[in-house]
Amino acid sequence: MSLFDHPEFDQHESVLFGFDADSGLRALIAVHSTRLGPSLGGCRMFPYPDDDAALTDALRLSRGMSYKAALAGLPQGGGKSVIIGDPRAHKSDALMRAMGRLVERAAGCYIVAEDSGISVADVMRMSETTRHVAGVPVPGSPVDGDPSPATARGVWMALRAAWQRLAGSEGGTGGAALRDVGVAVQGCGKVGARLVQYLVDAGARVWICDAHAPTAEACAAATGAEIVAPEAIYDVPADIFAPCALGAVLNAATIPRLRARLVVGAANNQLATAEDDDRLRAAGVVYAPDYVVNAGGIIDIHYQRQSRYDPDAMQAHLARIPEVLLRILDSADAQARGPAAVADAMARDVIAGVAI
Ligand code: NAD
């Protein structure tokens, strides 16, 4: 395993490896950048096949958090931690406390939050041994720690703005544009189900799928959306595809199947490879870069961490998501490049202190 020659190494500031014999903790914290502020990012627990797979994930995800925070206009850097282990089999209170001690050792350069395999309750357990936690309930305040409602609202605002831009450029009606527009939502969990509700309320025709059938059924019962099998979601005659489940769903196999002309969704790392940015462009599909449109969660967490939670300021900040997205889409058209590449370049400029 190499670090400085690692393909995902991108001038990361630090990587902290942690081991605790008593609890069995094997973890690492990657801090990509603290130029704009302390780095923040979730802790992922996953049964990585080897240490290199864990390092790869931490390096890649921490850089993504830097870019997300930069384009969201937050005084915050990017970091990510991973615990090597199966969350169903290896999680314990002692393990979470040991992870908290590792976070504390990063001395405030890294703030930990929940991610896949790690719940709010786990982060609260970590908070017994570190002060540097986010996304947890704040006693005496309305904050319950869950960033999903803000994420869903940001995705919804981005989707609406991107569709209006597309429909408007084709001589469409702009404002009322979502009535009878077809949207395929992949995954109706905490974010997807809320997005479906926004879409149905706006008069869109919505197809949904979920790998967990009862989740799809509950969403359909609440909203009237139409359920399709998870494998069939790429083939429905939708105008918009909204990935809200997992990463790498936009790839050489799925892009040719899409009938949508716009992709806007909450899932992280939707593109399987950087080439899929160009592949979507060549197929005439407008891609809204994932970390730009799903930034509502970290925006909310930023406001949760202030001494008083200000919901109006948080909502005003969310409204900047569609503005940034439209700038990226315009710039991508002007440069004849994929929007993901343009977003990455803009984020690097923000981190480097270049006005964008
Ligand atoms: P969630 O776990 O609540 O929901 C995800 C849903 O996707 C689940 O119901 C799951 O059964 C379903 N799913 C998994 N694989 C699937 C497949 N192959 N086909 C169809 N459905 C499948 O997660 P969430 O909080 O709603 O987040 C959704 C996505 O958005 C994730 O990729 C997450 O990383 C990303 N995201 C979430 C937030 C947030 O605030 N929750 C913020 C930023 C990004």
Side-chain angles (χ1 to χ4, degrees):
M1 180 172 67
S2 65
L3 176 55
F4 299 114
D5 296 327
H6 195 287
E8 296 293 344
F9 180 73
D10 177 41
Q11 303 186 22
H12 286 70
E13 287 177 13
S14 65
V15 179
L16 186 60
F17 292 81
F19 174 74
D20 178 66
D22 291 341
S23 64
L25 179 78
R26 288 184 299 143
L28 53 96
I29 298 173
V31 174
H32 177 253
S33 169
T34 57
R35 251 187 114 128
L36 301 176
S39 76
L40 187 143
C43 175
R44 181 169 285 193
M45 183 165 182
F46 188 78
Y48 294 100
D50 53 46
D51 299 351
D52 190 49
L55 178 65
T56 300
D57 222 19
L59 292 175
R60 191 173 49 84
L61 294 167
S62 59
R63 180 185 53 219
M65 289 305 294
S66 281
Y67 289 2
K68 188 188 298 206
L71 289 191
L74 293 169
Q76 196 170 288
K80 203 87 185 181
S81 57
V82 299
I83 299 176
I84 301 168
D86 182 344
R88 288 190 181 84
H90 303 137
K91 214 191 263 182
S92 67
D93 289 351
L95 190 83
M96 293 303 126
R97 284 192 210 99
M99 185 63 200
R101 286 193 293 276
L102 185 66
V103 171
E104 191 62 19
R105 232 167 270 149
C109 291
Y110 171 67
I111 300 159
V112 68
E114 58 271 23
D115 198 88
S116 68
I118 294 293
S119 65
V120 172
D122 296 327
V123 178
M124 290 182 73
R125 191 66 69 201
M126 290 180 205
S127 74
E128 292 173 16
T129 50
T130 179
R131 293 156 290 163
H132 306 297
V133 298
V136 292
V138 176
S141 122
V143 168
D144 72 357
D146 181 5
S148 310
T151 303
R153 181 145 184 86
V155 173
W156 158 243
M157 291 192 295
L159 181 148
R160 202 175 41 182
W163 178 254
Q164 284 175 3
R165 176 184 182 275
L166 189 63
S169 72
E170 291 169 352
T173 52
L178 279 157
R179 176 150 299 281
D180 299 327
V181 170
V183 188
V185 180
Q186 182 181 46
C188 20
K190 294 190 292 295
V191 180
R194 289 184 168 91
L195 178 64
V196 171
Q197 189 65 59
Y198 282 121
L199 289 163
V200 167
D201 289 348
R205 173 174 183 198
V206 185
W207 291 270
I208 58 171
C209 74
D210 200 288
H212 185 241
T215 300
E217 283 155 18
C219 182
T223 62
E226 188 179 326
I227 301 177
V228 299
E231 224 352 79
I233 197 75
Y234 303 104
D235 305 311
V236 296
D239 303 286
I240 304 171
F241 178 53
C244 296
L246 67 172
V249 293
L250 301 170
N251 55 49
T254 58
I255 291 170
R257 288 168 60 186
L258 286 184
R259 294 163 71 183
R261 290 172 298 142
L262 174 65
V263 175
V264 187
N268 282 313
N269 302 317
Q270 292 168 25
L271 301 176
T273 66
E275 289 78 57
D276 294 308
D277 193 18
D278 295 324
R279 193 171 275 125
L280 282 165
R281 213 176 95 75
V285 181
V286 176
Y287 172 61
D290 44 20
Y291 64 77
V292 176
V293 307
N294 72 15
I298 59 161
I299 291 172
D300 190 39
I301 284 176
H302 169 75
Y303 286 89
Q304 289 181 22
R305 287 175 49 76
Q306 307 307 306
S307 52
R308 191 183 65 84
Y309 184 71
D310 182 343
D312 296 335
M314 199 285 286
Q315 292 293 340
H317 203 140
L318 281 189
R320 290 191 226 156
I321 290 177
E323 290 169 20
V324 174
L325 174 63
L326 295 185
R327 280 179 68 184
I328 289 166
L329 297 181
D330 288 347
S331 186
D333 279 354
Q335 297 175 45
R337 290 173 75 195
V342 169
D344 286 357
M346 270 191 189
R348 282 193 290 269
D349 280 350
V350 173
I351 294 166
V354 179
I356 59 163

